[in-house]
């Protein structure tokens, strides 16, 4: 799953790399996911789908232990005071992900926002989850691979403006 997938660029990118797996992009805004859905159809990617739902309702759409991986790529960091509960890596969302993820499931986060990144590291530690890997500068790290090189429009803009991309993945 790619959560808050926007135009579905990461969903489509993953689908092109892993033809044997199914990919679903989720976003609340239909105008955003339309682009990803159109690209998926144009490129005959039959293993790609998009859901227009609120992420808060995700457990109504997926069974317990159904999902192998979750990708959160450049979500709204909700930097406003008191808005942490809206962050897609807040404990309330992680509880939902934990329910739908397989026991071997992984959650990935890519962001340019250091505050969100640090917040997520704290939530992982407080929750007792397993931090598998992390970096504050993905493109200068030794963990960069073809999957992590997939770029969204936002990521391209952030890189062009000189921002570093933070990445982590963890499991429950």
């Amino acid at each position: 799953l790619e959560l808050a997938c926007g135009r579905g660029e990461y969903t489509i990118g993953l689908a092109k790399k892993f033809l044997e797996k199914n990919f679903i992009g989720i976003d609340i805004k239909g105008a955003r996911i339309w682009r990803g859905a159109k690209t998926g159809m144009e490129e005959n990617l039959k293993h790609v789908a998009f859901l227009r739902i609120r992420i808060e309702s995700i457990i109504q759409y997926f069974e317990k232990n159904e999902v192998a991986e979750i990708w959160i790529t450049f979500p709204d960091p909700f930097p406003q005071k008191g808005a942490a509960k809206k962050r897609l890596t807040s404990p309330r969302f992680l509880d939902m992900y934990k329910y739908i993820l397989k026991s071997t499931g992984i959650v990935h986060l890519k962001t340019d926002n250091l505050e969100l990144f640090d917040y997520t590291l704290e939530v992982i530690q407080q929750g007792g989850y397993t931090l598998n890997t992390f970096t504050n500068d993905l493109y200068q790290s030794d963990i960069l691979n073809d999957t992590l090189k997939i770029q969204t429009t936002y990521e391209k803009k952030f890189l062009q403006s000189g921002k570093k991309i933070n990445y982590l993945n963890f499991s429950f």
Side-chain angles (χ1 to χ4, degrees):
L1 297 179
E2 182 188 6
L3 304 180
C5 70
R7 297 178 186 134
E9 295 149 317
Y10 224 87
T11 303
I12 295 293
L14 289 168
K16 288 178 179 179
K17 290 189 178 301
F18 302 100
L19 301 175
E20 74 285 357
K21 296 181 180 181
N22 294 317
F23 295 91
I24 301 171
I26 297 174
D27 205 292
I28 188 60
K29 298 202 174 172
R32 287 183 192 162
I33 61 176
W34 174 85
R35 177 69 264 167
K38 186 167 178 11
T39 299
M41 290 176 61
E42 289 170 351
E43 298 190 20
N44 202 31
L45 299 171
K46 296 184 185 300
H47 59 298
V48 174
F50 290 90
L51 281 175
R52 184 179 180 215
I53 63 168
R54 297 188 65 78
I55 294 169
E56 292 89 335
S57 67
I58 197 168
I59 60 173
Q60 295 173 4
Y61 294 87
F62 297 94
E63 295 291 326
K64 184 176 177 96
N65 303 317
E66 183 177 3
V67 175
E69 291 185 52
I70 292 176
W71 287 84
I72 307 170
T73 57
F74 302 92
D76 185 334
F78 289 103
Q80 308 87 340
K81 188 173 183 164
K85 67 182 180 190
K86 293 181 179 182
R87 293 177 182 158
L88 294 183
T89 57
S90 71
R92 79 180 183 123
F93 283 107
L94 294 188
D95 286 343
M96 292 179 225
Y97 309 158
K98 188 176 181 181
Y99 179 81
I100 65 172
L101 271 176
K102 295 178 179 183
S103 61
T104 57
I106 296 172
V107 178
H108 303 265
L109 172 68
K110 282 178 83 174
T111 182
D112 68 306
N113 187 283
L114 192 54
E115 182 182 337
L116 173 64
F117 186 74
D118 289 342
Y119 167 83
T120 304
L121 288 171
E122 282 182 35
V123 171
I124 292 167
Q125 182 183 21
Q126 290 172 356
Y129 307 134
T130 302
L131 180 62
N132 300 314
T133 189
F134 73 99
T135 180
N136 289 112
D137 191 351
L138 178 62
Y139 289 91
Q140 296 302 314
S141 75
D142 59 355
I143 64 170
L144 186 64
N145 60 33
D146 285 345
T147 303
L148 294 175
K149 287 181 183 175
I150 299 169
Q151 294 181 356
T152 67
T153 299
Y154 285 114
E155 184 171 2
K156 289 173 186 171
K157 286 180 186 178
F158 297 143
L159 287 168
Q160 287 173 354
S161 70
K163 289 189 174 186
K164 292 182 179 172
I165 304 304
N166 305 287
Y167 169 77
L168 62 79
N169 78 52
F170 67 98
S171 50
F172 296 106

